[in-house]
Amino acid sequence: YFEVSGADLRQGIALDVRDERFARQRTVLDGLTNEAILTLRLGPPQLLEGQVLAADTGRPLPYARLSMVPVEPRDELLCLHHHVDARADAQGRFRVQPLPGGAFRIYACAPEEEPYLTLVQRIDWPAGTRRQELTLRLPPGISLRGQVVEADTGRPVAGAFVQYMTHSMGEVPPAENQPQLAGESRAWSGADGRFWLPAGAGRGQLVVHVPRGDYLVRPPDPLASPTAEHYASVYAHDLLPLDLPPNCREHEVRATVQPVGRLHGRVLDAAGQPVSAGMLITAGVFSPKRWTGARRFALREGAFALPSTDPAQTYPVVVLDMAHEHGAFAAVPARPTNGPALLRLQECGRAEGRLLDQDHRPLPGSPIELDAVLPFPSPGRPNDRAEVSWYTALGQRHSLRTDEAGRFTLPALVPGVPYRLYAGTGDSRRLAREFTVTAGQMLQLD
């Protein structure tokens, strides 16, 4: 018998039953009353025993870490861990009582400061089997040591999560129940920013993520490895490609994380007074997102301050006062040398033209689209740019079309902004013209 007290059972509870005479059981109980009486039926035990050894010397690896996970999904445990963790003793011997299942994967990791690689192996568990034995021999690896520091100051960063992923792990055993290299290892940086983990020889990637702190998320280097696409969605503050030689025993690395910057400046109208209200459009890297498309911000009291920017990047900034059709465009560095940027509004320009077909006949009622091109070059990426639908960015939801004579008018064009005019939509969309306007200009696009 057991009793659960001091909890509101109506909110649901999770139970974990451990007794080596029976199968280990985890269960989630919902919709109970506070006077509920439960009966839990336990199955026959499943126990895995064995030893973790060093493959090169045969010596036991004391206090090795193990984790056992059922291969079959456990839908009833969606909010609970499916794995069961264990530690080997001083002789590398272990006993693991997994959750009930017919097949498992067991992961074996070397103890701290032992440069041996993590193995994973599938274990099939025939019905009625109560106990199995397994010896795991961990292959030697490379001691990968390093430090995580801030890029600007060199200060150590504590509490960084460091993960090494090996690209080349040799031939995969044909049988699934044979031991295989897991291909990754993990560690946390200490108070001095230093970390240690075992790594496999060959090409790999060191991934650094700092859960606490305001650091820039870096995109993967497309030239780092042929498998760089595997890291396209990796949320990381640093990514280091490595190629460790097989005869290497130790390797030292230095990972740098970049504190974010702040893009700020002032906006004045034609009379030199702060602009009371307006909008700002920009593009580029804003941590923690990787998306570099256009963003829109409100402008108030003649000033802007955009956080989480890349200090090494120059951002395109378009400011528009729609009420008076005045605007400004400038490339603003996130780390200015002469104080905050100063933008002065000018009268917007306009453009008009006529859309003709290949036989020079007007195209009445033809859809057209106007995009603003916002370049944001950064070190190593000189051609990065974003195209933004101009009038959508200004909050206009209706589409542009030519009139009965095939003519069109494009208002509220900010001086200096590169524009691209497209004719048609979807598969029929084609570039019709690229242009810029000057202050107050009426540009003819015929």
Side-chain angles (χ1 to χ4, degrees):
Y1 292 93
F2 66 91
E3 179 178 334
V4 177
S5 60
D8 187 352
L9 302 184
R10 295 169 298 180
Q11 296 182 356
I13 60 172
L15 298 179
D16 190 344
V17 182
R18 307 182 191 183
D19 188 324
E20 288 193 0
R21 297 173 300 171
F22 306 98
R24 185 167 182 169
Q25 182 170 323
R26 285 180 186 160
T27 185
V28 179
L29 304 173
D30 292 316
L32 302 177
T33 67
N34 284 332
E35 300 296 329
I37 298 177
L38 304 175
T39 299
L40 300 178
R41 302 186 184 279
L42 305 180
Q46 290 178 277
L47 183 65
L48 179 68
E49 295 183 292
Q51 191 175 24
V52 183
L53 306 175
D56 54 348
T57 65
R59 68 180 179 88
L61 290 175
Y63 311 113
R65 296 162 291 165
L66 301 106
S67 185
M68 201 164 174
V69 187
V71 171
E72 302 92 343
R74 302 289 300 275
D75 295 336
E76 75 277 14
L77 299 179
L78 288 178
C79 57
L80 294 181
H81 292 304
H82 298 191
H83 60 81
V84 172
D85 297 331
R87 276 269 189 180
D89 62 16
Q91 297 302 315
R93 299 189 178 278
F94 62 87
R95 292 165 60 91
V96 186
Q97 186 185 16
L99 297 177
F104 303 89
R105 287 189 180 89
I106 185 164
Y107 295 82
C109 306
E112 291 80 0
E113 296 296 326
E114 289 276 13
Y116 289 89
L117 302 178
T118 300
L119 282 185
V120 58
Q121 183 171 344
R122 178 188 171 110
I123 303 171
D124 293 319
W125 206 285
T129 303
R130 293 176 173 242
R131 178 179 175 275
Q132 292 198 60
E133 290 190 6
L134 180 67
T135 299
L136 293 163
R137 294 175 172 84
L138 306 192
I142 298 167
S143 287
L144 185 59
R145 304 180 186 275
Q147 187 180 31
V148 183
V149 298
E150 289 189 354
D152 294 334
T153 64
R155 286 197 298 256
V157 178
F161 178 67
V162 184
Q163 184 179 22
Y164 187 74
M165 302 179 183
T166 302
H167 296 158
S168 53
M169 295 184 292
E171 296 182 0
V172 177
E176 192 176 12
N177 60 354
Q178 293 297 310
Q180 303 179 33
L181 290 174
E184 66 174 86
S185 51
R186 304 173 180 182
W188 293 86
S189 65
D192 57 358
R194 295 198 60 82
F195 62 88
W196 173 92
L197 45 78
R203 298 170 69 90
Q205 189 101 346
L206 189 75
V207 181
V208 180
H209 172 232
V210 186
R212 295 185 179 181
D214 207 358
Y215 296 100
L216 190 71
V217 175
R218 301 191 183 220
D221 183 354
L223 302 179
S225 75
T227 57
E229 66 273 9
H230 295 168
Y231 303 96
S233 60
V234 172
Y235 178 83
H237 296 110
D238 197 15
L239 291 165
L240 296 177
L242 298 176
D243 192 353
L244 302 176
N247 59 349
C248 178
R249 287 287 172 254
E250 289 195 6
H251 189 79
E252 180 81 18
V253 296
R254 181 180 175 91
T256 58
V257 293
Q258 176 64 60
V260 297
R262 180 179 293 270
L263 190 70
H264 56 104
R266 295 186 299 136
V267 181
L268 305 180
D269 61 19
Q273 299 300 312
V275 177
S276 59
M279 71 175 65
L280 183 149
I281 302 172
T282 187
V285 175
F286 285 81
S287 189
K289 304 296 183 183
R290 283 249 178 86
W291 182 66
T292 56
R295 291 171 168 82
R296 187 172 71 171
F297 300 90
L299 179 69
R300 296 184 178 88
E301 305 302 329
F304 61 89
L306 310 182
S308 303
T309 58
D310 183 350
Q313 184 172 320
T314 297
Y315 289 78
V317 174
V318 181
V319 178
L320 184 63
D321 177 2
M322 275 295 293
H324 301 93
E325 286 202 12
H326 282 66
F329 173 60
V332 179
R335 183 180 286 161
T337 56
N338 298 317
L342 179 62
L343 283 74
R344 295 183 182 272
L345 300 190
Q346 297 176 292
E347 181 183 356
C348 285
R350 301 167 72 85
E352 61 181 23
R354 196 178 190 191
L355 198 60
L356 305 176
D357 63 14
Q358 294 179 349
D359 298 324
H360 301 285
R361 293 176 299 188
L363 291 172
S366 178
I368 58 175
E369 296 179 0
L370 184 67
D371 285 1
V373 181
L374 305 181
F376 50 93
S378 58
R381 299 173 181 267
N383 298 316
D384 281 354
R385 62 186 62 210
E387 281 196 36
V388 53
S389 176
W390 181 242
Y391 294 113
T392 300
L394 302 187
Q396 299 181 12
R397 300 190 179 278
H398 60 276
S399 60
L400 292 176
R401 290 183 178 273
T402 59
D403 63 15
E404 294 179 355
R407 303 199 66 83
F408 59 87
T409 301
L410 306 174
L413 303 178
V414 173
V417 172
Y419 289 103
R420 287 180 176 176
L421 178 65
Y422 293 92
T425 58
D427 293 339
S428 63
R429 189 174 188 251
R430 62 180 177 84
L431 179 63
R433 190 73 179 270
E434 294 181 293
F435 66 93
T436 59
V437 299
T438 59
Q441 180 184 16
M442 170 59 82
L443 179 65
Q444 298 296 325
L445 296 177
D446 292 346

